[in-house]
Short mmCIF file of all heavy atoms in Angstrom, two decimals:
data_model
loop_
_atom_site.label_atom_id
_atom_site.label_comp_id
_atom_site.label_asym_id
_atom_site.label_seq_id
_atom_site.Cartn_x
_atom_site.Cartn_y
_atom_site.Cartn_z
N MET A 1 8.16 -11.44 12.61
CA MET A 1 7.05 -10.58 12.08
C MET A 1 7.43 -9.11 12.26
O MET A 1 7.70 -8.66 13.34
CB MET A 1 5.76 -10.87 12.82
CG MET A 1 5.25 -12.30 12.58
SD MET A 1 4.49 -12.43 10.97
CE MET A 1 3.86 -14.12 11.11
N LYS A 2 7.40 -8.42 11.16
CA LYS A 2 7.74 -7.02 11.23
C LYS A 2 6.57 -6.16 10.84
O LYS A 2 5.88 -6.41 9.84
CB LYS A 2 8.90 -6.76 10.25
CG LYS A 2 9.77 -5.63 10.71
CD LYS A 2 10.89 -5.37 9.68
CE LYS A 2 11.46 -3.98 9.85
NZ LYS A 2 12.18 -3.54 8.68
N LEU A 3 6.26 -5.19 11.67
CA LEU A 3 5.16 -4.30 11.41
C LEU A 3 5.65 -2.97 10.79
O LEU A 3 6.50 -2.32 11.31
CB LEU A 3 4.41 -4.00 12.72
CG LEU A 3 3.20 -3.05 12.58
CD1 LEU A 3 1.99 -3.78 12.03
CD2 LEU A 3 2.84 -2.40 13.91
N ASN A 4 5.07 -2.67 9.63
CA ASN A 4 5.42 -1.42 8.97
C ASN A 4 4.37 -0.36 9.34
O ASN A 4 3.34 -0.27 8.71
CB ASN A 4 5.43 -1.67 7.43
CG ASN A 4 5.93 -0.49 6.68
OD1 ASN A 4 5.93 0.62 7.20
ND2 ASN A 4 6.38 -0.70 5.46
N LYS A 5 4.68 0.33 10.40
CA LYS A 5 3.66 1.24 11.02
C LYS A 5 3.29 2.34 10.02
O LYS A 5 2.09 2.68 9.91
CB LYS A 5 4.28 1.85 12.25
CG LYS A 5 3.26 2.19 13.31
CD LYS A 5 3.96 2.70 14.54
CE LYS A 5 2.95 3.18 15.59
NZ LYS A 5 3.63 3.76 16.76
N GLU A 6 4.28 2.90 9.31
CA GLU A 6 3.98 3.94 8.37
C GLU A 6 3.03 3.51 7.27
O GLU A 6 2.11 4.27 6.90
CB GLU A 6 5.26 4.48 7.76
CG GLU A 6 6.05 5.38 8.69
CD GLU A 6 7.37 5.85 8.17
OE1 GLU A 6 7.60 5.70 6.92
OE2 GLU A 6 8.20 6.29 8.95
N TRP A 7 3.24 2.32 6.78
CA TRP A 7 2.40 1.84 5.71
C TRP A 7 0.95 1.70 6.22
O TRP A 7 0.00 2.07 5.57
CB TRP A 7 2.89 0.44 5.19
CG TRP A 7 2.16 0.00 3.96
CD1 TRP A 7 2.50 0.29 2.68
CD2 TRP A 7 0.98 -0.72 3.94
NE1 TRP A 7 1.56 -0.28 1.86
CE2 TRP A 7 0.61 -0.87 2.57
CE3 TRP A 7 0.13 -1.31 4.91
CZ2 TRP A 7 -0.52 -1.62 2.17
CZ3 TRP A 7 -1.02 -1.98 4.52
CH2 TRP A 7 -1.34 -2.12 3.16
N HIS A 8 0.84 1.16 7.44
CA HIS A 8 -0.49 0.98 7.99
C HIS A 8 -1.21 2.31 8.21
O HIS A 8 -2.43 2.40 8.01
CB HIS A 8 -0.39 0.20 9.35
CG HIS A 8 -0.42 -1.25 9.12
ND1 HIS A 8 -1.56 -2.03 9.02
CD2 HIS A 8 0.63 -2.15 9.00
CE1 HIS A 8 -1.23 -3.27 8.84
NE2 HIS A 8 0.06 -3.39 8.83
N LEU A 9 -0.49 3.30 8.61
CA LEU A 9 -1.11 4.59 8.79
C LEU A 9 -1.62 5.20 7.52
O LEU A 9 -2.64 5.86 7.49
CB LEU A 9 -0.10 5.58 9.46
CG LEU A 9 0.18 5.33 10.93
CD1 LEU A 9 1.33 6.23 11.44
CD2 LEU A 9 -1.04 5.53 11.81
N GLU A 10 -0.93 4.88 6.42
CA GLU A 10 -1.31 5.38 5.10
C GLU A 10 -2.32 4.53 4.39
O GLU A 10 -2.94 4.93 3.43
CB GLU A 10 -0.08 5.57 4.20
CG GLU A 10 0.81 6.75 4.60
CD GLU A 10 2.13 6.73 3.89
OE1 GLU A 10 2.20 6.12 2.83
OE2 GLU A 10 3.08 7.30 4.44
N HIS A 11 -2.47 3.29 4.85
CA HIS A 11 -3.35 2.37 4.17
C HIS A 11 -4.28 1.71 5.14
O HIS A 11 -4.07 0.56 5.58
CB HIS A 11 -2.54 1.28 3.41
CG HIS A 11 -1.62 1.85 2.42
ND1 HIS A 11 -0.40 2.37 2.71
CD2 HIS A 11 -1.78 1.99 1.07
CE1 HIS A 11 0.20 2.78 1.60
NE2 HIS A 11 -0.61 2.60 0.60
N LYS A 12 -5.33 2.46 5.50
CA LYS A 12 -6.31 1.88 6.44
C LYS A 12 -7.29 1.00 5.68
O LYS A 12 -7.74 1.36 4.55
CB LYS A 12 -7.05 3.03 7.14
CG LYS A 12 -6.14 3.94 7.94
CD LYS A 12 -6.36 3.75 9.37
CE LYS A 12 -5.77 4.84 10.17
NZ LYS A 12 -4.96 4.92 11.16
N MET A 13 -7.63 -0.15 6.24
CA MET A 13 -8.66 -0.97 5.69
C MET A 13 -10.00 -0.28 5.86
O MET A 13 -10.29 0.24 6.97
CB MET A 13 -8.67 -2.32 6.41
CG MET A 13 -9.68 -3.32 5.93
SD MET A 13 -9.23 -4.18 4.43
CE MET A 13 -8.41 -5.61 5.10
N PRO A 14 -10.83 -0.21 4.80
CA PRO A 14 -12.14 0.38 4.97
C PRO A 14 -12.98 -0.32 6.09
O PRO A 14 -12.69 -1.48 6.38
CB PRO A 14 -12.82 0.18 3.59
CG PRO A 14 -11.67 -0.08 2.64
CD PRO A 14 -10.58 -0.71 3.47
N LYS A 15 -13.95 0.38 6.63
CA LYS A 15 -14.72 -0.20 7.76
C LYS A 15 -15.45 -1.46 7.36
O LYS A 15 -15.48 -2.43 8.11
CB LYS A 15 -15.67 0.85 8.35
CG LYS A 15 -14.90 1.70 9.36
CD LYS A 15 -15.87 2.46 10.23
CE LYS A 15 -15.04 3.28 11.25
NZ LYS A 15 -15.71 4.49 11.64
N LYS A 16 -16.12 -1.44 6.23
CA LYS A 16 -16.83 -2.65 5.77
C LYS A 16 -16.24 -2.95 4.36
O LYS A 16 -16.93 -2.71 3.38
CB LYS A 16 -18.31 -2.46 5.73
CG LYS A 16 -18.92 -2.56 7.15
CD LYS A 16 -20.46 -2.52 7.05
CE LYS A 16 -21.03 -2.60 8.47
NZ LYS A 16 -22.47 -2.36 8.46
N PRO A 17 -15.11 -3.56 4.31
CA PRO A 17 -14.49 -3.75 3.02
C PRO A 17 -15.16 -4.88 2.20
O PRO A 17 -15.59 -5.88 2.75
CB PRO A 17 -13.02 -4.16 3.37
CG PRO A 17 -13.14 -4.76 4.77
CD PRO A 17 -14.26 -4.07 5.43
N SER A 18 -15.23 -4.67 0.93
CA SER A 18 -15.70 -5.72 0.03
C SER A 18 -14.58 -6.76 -0.14
O SER A 18 -13.43 -6.46 0.27
CB SER A 18 -16.09 -5.16 -1.33
OG SER A 18 -14.91 -4.64 -1.97
N VAL A 19 -14.89 -7.91 -0.70
CA VAL A 19 -13.84 -8.89 -0.91
C VAL A 19 -12.73 -8.30 -1.80
O VAL A 19 -11.57 -8.50 -1.48
CB VAL A 19 -14.42 -10.17 -1.57
CG1 VAL A 19 -13.36 -11.16 -1.88
CG2 VAL A 19 -15.45 -10.84 -0.61
N GLU A 20 -13.16 -7.56 -2.80
CA GLU A 20 -12.13 -6.98 -3.68
C GLU A 20 -11.21 -6.00 -2.92
O GLU A 20 -10.01 -5.97 -3.15
CB GLU A 20 -12.81 -6.21 -4.86
CG GLU A 20 -13.10 -7.04 -6.07
CD GLU A 20 -14.28 -7.99 -5.84
OE1 GLU A 20 -15.09 -7.72 -4.90
OE2 GLU A 20 -14.38 -9.00 -6.54
N GLN A 21 -11.81 -5.21 -2.06
CA GLN A 21 -11.04 -4.26 -1.27
C GLN A 21 -10.10 -5.01 -0.32
O GLN A 21 -8.93 -4.64 -0.15
CB GLN A 21 -11.94 -3.35 -0.44
CG GLN A 21 -12.59 -2.28 -1.28
CD GLN A 21 -13.59 -1.49 -0.45
OE1 GLN A 21 -14.41 -2.01 0.24
NE2 GLN A 21 -13.51 -0.18 -0.57
N GLN A 22 -10.58 -6.10 0.26
CA GLN A 22 -9.71 -6.88 1.11
C GLN A 22 -8.56 -7.49 0.34
O GLN A 22 -7.42 -7.49 0.81
CB GLN A 22 -10.52 -8.01 1.77
CG GLN A 22 -11.51 -7.52 2.80
CD GLN A 22 -12.22 -8.70 3.43
OE1 GLN A 22 -11.63 -9.58 4.01
NE2 GLN A 22 -13.54 -8.75 3.25
N ILE A 23 -8.87 -8.02 -0.85
CA ILE A 23 -7.80 -8.61 -1.65
C ILE A 23 -6.76 -7.58 -2.02
O ILE A 23 -5.56 -7.81 -1.80
CB ILE A 23 -8.39 -9.28 -2.94
CG1 ILE A 23 -9.21 -10.50 -2.58
CG2 ILE A 23 -7.29 -9.65 -3.91
CD1 ILE A 23 -9.98 -11.09 -3.70
N SER A 24 -7.17 -6.44 -2.48
CA SER A 24 -6.16 -5.46 -2.95
C SER A 24 -5.39 -4.94 -1.71
O SER A 24 -4.21 -4.71 -1.80
CB SER A 24 -6.78 -4.34 -3.71
OG SER A 24 -7.76 -3.64 -2.96
N TRP A 25 -6.03 -4.78 -0.59
CA TRP A 25 -5.36 -4.34 0.59
C TRP A 25 -4.27 -5.39 0.99
O TRP A 25 -3.12 -5.02 1.26
CB TRP A 25 -6.37 -4.16 1.76
CG TRP A 25 -5.75 -3.51 2.98
CD1 TRP A 25 -5.73 -2.17 3.26
CD2 TRP A 25 -5.06 -4.16 4.05
NE1 TRP A 25 -5.07 -1.97 4.44
CE2 TRP A 25 -4.66 -3.16 4.98
CE3 TRP A 25 -4.77 -5.53 4.35
CZ2 TRP A 25 -3.96 -3.44 6.15
CZ3 TRP A 25 -4.08 -5.82 5.53
CH2 TRP A 25 -3.70 -4.78 6.41
N HIS A 26 -4.64 -6.63 1.05
CA HIS A 26 -3.70 -7.63 1.46
C HIS A 26 -2.55 -7.84 0.46
O HIS A 26 -1.44 -8.09 0.85
CB HIS A 26 -4.43 -8.99 1.69
CG HIS A 26 -4.95 -9.09 3.08
ND1 HIS A 26 -4.16 -9.35 4.18
CD2 HIS A 26 -6.23 -8.91 3.55
CE1 HIS A 26 -4.96 -9.37 5.26
NE2 HIS A 26 -6.16 -9.07 4.92
N LEU A 27 -2.85 -7.70 -0.83
CA LEU A 27 -1.78 -7.84 -1.81
C LEU A 27 -0.77 -6.72 -1.65
O LEU A 27 0.44 -6.97 -1.73
CB LEU A 27 -2.36 -7.87 -3.23
CG LEU A 27 -3.17 -9.14 -3.59
CD1 LEU A 27 -3.68 -9.05 -5.03
CD2 LEU A 27 -2.35 -10.44 -3.42
N GLU A 28 -1.25 -5.50 -1.44
CA GLU A 28 -0.32 -4.41 -1.20
C GLU A 28 0.36 -4.61 0.16
O GLU A 28 1.59 -4.40 0.26
CB GLU A 28 -1.08 -3.07 -1.17
CG GLU A 28 -1.33 -2.47 -2.53
CD GLU A 28 -0.04 -2.23 -3.26
OE1 GLU A 28 0.80 -1.47 -2.78
OE2 GLU A 28 0.15 -2.84 -4.38
N HIS A 29 -0.42 -5.01 1.11
CA HIS A 29 0.14 -5.14 2.47
C HIS A 29 1.32 -6.10 2.52
O HIS A 29 2.33 -5.77 3.12
CB HIS A 29 -0.99 -5.67 3.39
CG HIS A 29 -0.54 -5.91 4.80
ND1 HIS A 29 -0.46 -7.20 5.30
CD2 HIS A 29 -0.14 -5.10 5.79
CE1 HIS A 29 -0.01 -7.14 6.55
NE2 HIS A 29 0.21 -5.90 6.87
N GLN A 30 1.20 -7.25 1.88
CA GLN A 30 2.29 -8.22 2.00
C GLN A 30 3.56 -7.75 1.34
O GLN A 30 4.64 -8.29 1.63
CB GLN A 30 1.83 -9.57 1.44
CG GLN A 30 1.65 -9.55 -0.07
CD GLN A 30 1.51 -10.94 -0.67
OE1 GLN A 30 1.47 -11.95 0.05
NE2 GLN A 30 1.53 -11.03 -1.98
N LYS A 31 3.45 -6.77 0.42
CA LYS A 31 4.71 -6.25 -0.17
C LYS A 31 5.47 -5.40 0.82
O LYS A 31 6.69 -5.29 0.73
CB LYS A 31 4.34 -5.37 -1.36
CG LYS A 31 3.81 -6.12 -2.56
CD LYS A 31 3.62 -5.10 -3.70
CE LYS A 31 2.63 -5.67 -4.73
NZ LYS A 31 2.14 -4.56 -5.59
N TYR A 32 4.75 -4.75 1.72
CA TYR A 32 5.41 -3.76 2.56
C TYR A 32 5.46 -4.10 4.02
O TYR A 32 6.18 -3.49 4.82
CB TYR A 32 4.73 -2.41 2.45
CG TYR A 32 4.73 -1.89 1.00
CD1 TYR A 32 3.59 -2.02 0.17
CD2 TYR A 32 5.87 -1.35 0.47
CE1 TYR A 32 3.62 -1.58 -1.13
CE2 TYR A 32 5.90 -0.89 -0.85
CZ TYR A 32 4.78 -1.02 -1.64
OH TYR A 32 4.78 -0.62 -2.94
N CYS A 33 4.72 -5.12 4.39
CA CYS A 33 4.61 -5.43 5.83
C CYS A 33 4.31 -6.91 6.02
O CYS A 33 3.65 -7.54 5.21
CB CYS A 33 3.48 -4.57 6.39
SG CYS A 33 3.21 -4.83 8.17
N GLN A 34 4.87 -7.47 7.06
CA GLN A 34 4.69 -8.91 7.32
C GLN A 34 4.02 -9.12 8.67
O GLN A 34 4.29 -10.12 9.34
CB GLN A 34 6.03 -9.65 7.31
CG GLN A 34 6.61 -9.76 5.90
CD GLN A 34 7.40 -8.50 5.49
OE1 GLN A 34 8.18 -8.01 6.28
NE2 GLN A 34 7.18 -8.02 4.29
N CYS A 35 3.19 -8.22 9.09
CA CYS A 35 2.63 -8.36 10.45
C CYS A 35 1.52 -9.43 10.48
O CYS A 35 1.23 -9.98 11.53
CB CYS A 35 2.09 -7.03 10.95
SG CYS A 35 0.53 -6.49 10.26
N ALA A 36 0.85 -9.68 9.35
CA ALA A 36 -0.22 -10.69 9.35
C ALA A 36 -0.29 -11.35 8.00
O ALA A 36 -0.14 -10.71 6.95
CB ALA A 36 -1.53 -9.98 9.66
N PRO A 37 -0.45 -12.67 8.01
CA PRO A 37 -0.61 -13.37 6.70
C PRO A 37 -1.99 -13.11 6.12
O PRO A 37 -2.90 -12.70 6.78
CB PRO A 37 -0.44 -14.82 7.10
CG PRO A 37 -0.89 -14.91 8.51
CD PRO A 37 -0.60 -13.57 9.13
N ILE A 38 -2.12 -13.44 4.80
CA ILE A 38 -3.41 -13.33 4.14
C ILE A 38 -4.32 -14.46 4.71
O ILE A 38 -3.90 -15.61 4.72
CB ILE A 38 -3.28 -13.47 2.61
CG1 ILE A 38 -2.36 -12.37 2.08
CG2 ILE A 38 -4.61 -13.46 1.94
CD1 ILE A 38 -2.09 -12.48 0.58
N PRO A 39 -5.50 -14.10 5.18
CA PRO A 39 -6.40 -15.15 5.72
C PRO A 39 -6.75 -16.19 4.68
O PRO A 39 -6.84 -15.90 3.48
CB PRO A 39 -7.66 -14.34 6.09
CG PRO A 39 -7.22 -12.93 6.17
CD PRO A 39 -6.10 -12.79 5.22
N LYS A 40 -6.92 -17.44 5.17
CA LYS A 40 -7.17 -18.56 4.25
C LYS A 40 -8.37 -18.29 3.34
O LYS A 40 -8.32 -18.57 2.16
CB LYS A 40 -7.48 -19.80 5.08
CG LYS A 40 -6.39 -20.83 4.96
CD LYS A 40 -6.84 -22.16 5.64
CE LYS A 40 -5.70 -23.20 5.60
NZ LYS A 40 -6.08 -24.38 6.35
N LYS A 41 -9.44 -17.74 3.92
CA LYS A 41 -10.65 -17.49 3.14
C LYS A 41 -10.37 -16.53 1.99
O LYS A 41 -10.88 -16.68 0.90
CB LYS A 41 -11.72 -16.88 4.06
CG LYS A 41 -12.70 -17.89 4.54
CD LYS A 41 -14.00 -17.19 4.98
CE LYS A 41 -15.09 -18.22 5.16
NZ LYS A 41 -16.32 -17.60 5.73
N LEU A 42 -9.53 -15.55 2.29
CA LEU A 42 -9.19 -14.56 1.25
C LEU A 42 -8.29 -15.19 0.18
O LEU A 42 -8.42 -14.88 -0.96
CB LEU A 42 -8.52 -13.36 1.92
CG LEU A 42 -8.71 -12.05 1.18
CD1 LEU A 42 -10.17 -11.72 1.05
CD2 LEU A 42 -7.99 -10.94 1.92
N LEU A 43 -7.42 -16.06 0.60
CA LEU A 43 -6.54 -16.77 -0.37
C LEU A 43 -7.38 -17.54 -1.35
O LEU A 43 -7.07 -17.58 -2.54
CB LEU A 43 -5.60 -17.71 0.39
CG LEU A 43 -4.34 -17.11 0.94
CD1 LEU A 43 -3.56 -18.17 1.72
CD2 LEU A 43 -3.42 -16.57 -0.16
N GLU A 44 -8.46 -18.14 -0.85
CA GLU A 44 -9.36 -18.89 -1.74
C GLU A 44 -10.00 -17.96 -2.75
O GLU A 44 -10.16 -18.28 -3.92
CB GLU A 44 -10.44 -19.60 -0.94
CG GLU A 44 -9.87 -20.88 -0.32
CD GLU A 44 -10.78 -21.44 0.78
OE1 GLU A 44 -11.97 -21.12 0.80
OE2 GLU A 44 -10.28 -22.20 1.63
N GLU A 45 -10.42 -16.79 -2.27
CA GLU A 45 -11.01 -15.77 -3.17
C GLU A 45 -10.01 -15.32 -4.22
O GLU A 45 -10.35 -15.11 -5.38
CB GLU A 45 -11.50 -14.59 -2.38
CG GLU A 45 -12.65 -14.88 -1.42
CD GLU A 45 -13.91 -15.35 -2.16
OE1 GLU A 45 -14.18 -14.90 -3.27
OE2 GLU A 45 -14.64 -16.19 -1.59
N ILE A 46 -8.77 -15.16 -3.78
CA ILE A 46 -7.69 -14.74 -4.74
C ILE A 46 -7.52 -15.81 -5.79
O ILE A 46 -7.40 -15.54 -6.97
CB ILE A 46 -6.40 -14.47 -3.95
CG1 ILE A 46 -6.54 -13.21 -3.08
CG2 ILE A 46 -5.21 -14.27 -4.93
CD1 ILE A 46 -5.41 -12.98 -2.09
N LYS A 47 -7.47 -17.08 -5.36
CA LYS A 47 -7.31 -18.17 -6.30
C LYS A 47 -8.45 -18.22 -7.32
O LYS A 47 -8.25 -18.42 -8.52
CB LYS A 47 -7.30 -19.49 -5.56
CG LYS A 47 -5.86 -19.90 -5.11
CD LYS A 47 -5.91 -21.30 -4.56
CE LYS A 47 -4.75 -21.55 -3.60
NZ LYS A 47 -4.94 -22.75 -2.77
N LYS A 48 -9.71 -18.02 -6.81
CA LYS A 48 -10.86 -18.02 -7.69
C LYS A 48 -10.73 -16.97 -8.82
O LYS A 48 -11.22 -17.14 -9.90
CB LYS A 48 -12.11 -17.65 -6.89
CG LYS A 48 -12.79 -18.86 -6.22
CD LYS A 48 -14.09 -18.41 -5.58
CE LYS A 48 -14.35 -19.21 -4.35
NZ LYS A 48 -15.46 -18.56 -3.55
N ARG A 49 -10.08 -15.85 -8.45
CA ARG A 49 -9.90 -14.77 -9.42
C ARG A 49 -8.65 -14.91 -10.23
O ARG A 49 -8.36 -14.03 -11.03
CB ARG A 49 -9.93 -13.44 -8.65
CG ARG A 49 -11.29 -13.07 -8.09
CD ARG A 49 -11.17 -12.02 -7.04
NE ARG A 49 -12.46 -11.51 -6.60
CZ ARG A 49 -13.29 -12.19 -5.82
NH1 ARG A 49 -12.96 -13.36 -5.35
NH2 ARG A 49 -14.43 -11.62 -5.46
N ASN A 50 -7.90 -15.98 -10.04
CA ASN A 50 -6.66 -16.20 -10.73
C ASN A 50 -5.68 -15.08 -10.63
O ASN A 50 -5.01 -14.64 -11.58
CB ASN A 50 -6.92 -16.49 -12.23
CG ASN A 50 -7.51 -17.87 -12.42
OD1 ASN A 50 -7.10 -18.84 -11.82
ND2 ASN A 50 -8.52 -17.97 -13.27
N LEU A 51 -5.61 -14.51 -9.43
CA LEU A 51 -4.70 -13.38 -9.22
C LEU A 51 -3.32 -13.90 -8.74
O LEU A 51 -3.23 -14.93 -8.08
CB LEU A 51 -5.26 -12.44 -8.14
CG LEU A 51 -6.53 -11.67 -8.56
CD1 LEU A 51 -7.08 -10.98 -7.33
CD2 LEU A 51 -6.19 -10.69 -9.67
N GLU A 52 -2.33 -13.17 -9.10
CA GLU A 52 -0.97 -13.44 -8.62
C GLU A 52 -0.80 -13.00 -7.20
O GLU A 52 -1.24 -11.91 -6.82
CB GLU A 52 0.06 -12.72 -9.49
CG GLU A 52 0.18 -13.29 -10.89
CD GLU A 52 0.97 -14.59 -10.92
OE1 GLU A 52 1.89 -14.73 -10.11
OE2 GLU A 52 0.66 -15.44 -11.76
N ILE A 53 -0.15 -13.82 -6.42
CA ILE A 53 0.11 -13.42 -5.04
C ILE A 53 1.55 -12.97 -4.92
O ILE A 53 2.44 -13.68 -5.38
CB ILE A 53 -0.20 -14.58 -4.03
CG1 ILE A 53 -1.65 -15.02 -4.18
CG2 ILE A 53 0.10 -14.13 -2.59
CD1 ILE A 53 -1.97 -16.24 -3.35
ZN1 ZN B 1 0.96 -5.06 8.53
#
């Protein structure tokens, strides 16, 4: 697991993120950092929206 500290500093998760905000954060996140996988619940939401992972 590699943490991309710079990316995290530039991309803070909002304090009370909507599902959409969480999805877009995680989709960007996985491109640049592998510190945490996308939570299962969020994966389901992504699937519901037919989004590419
Ligand atoms: Zn990360």
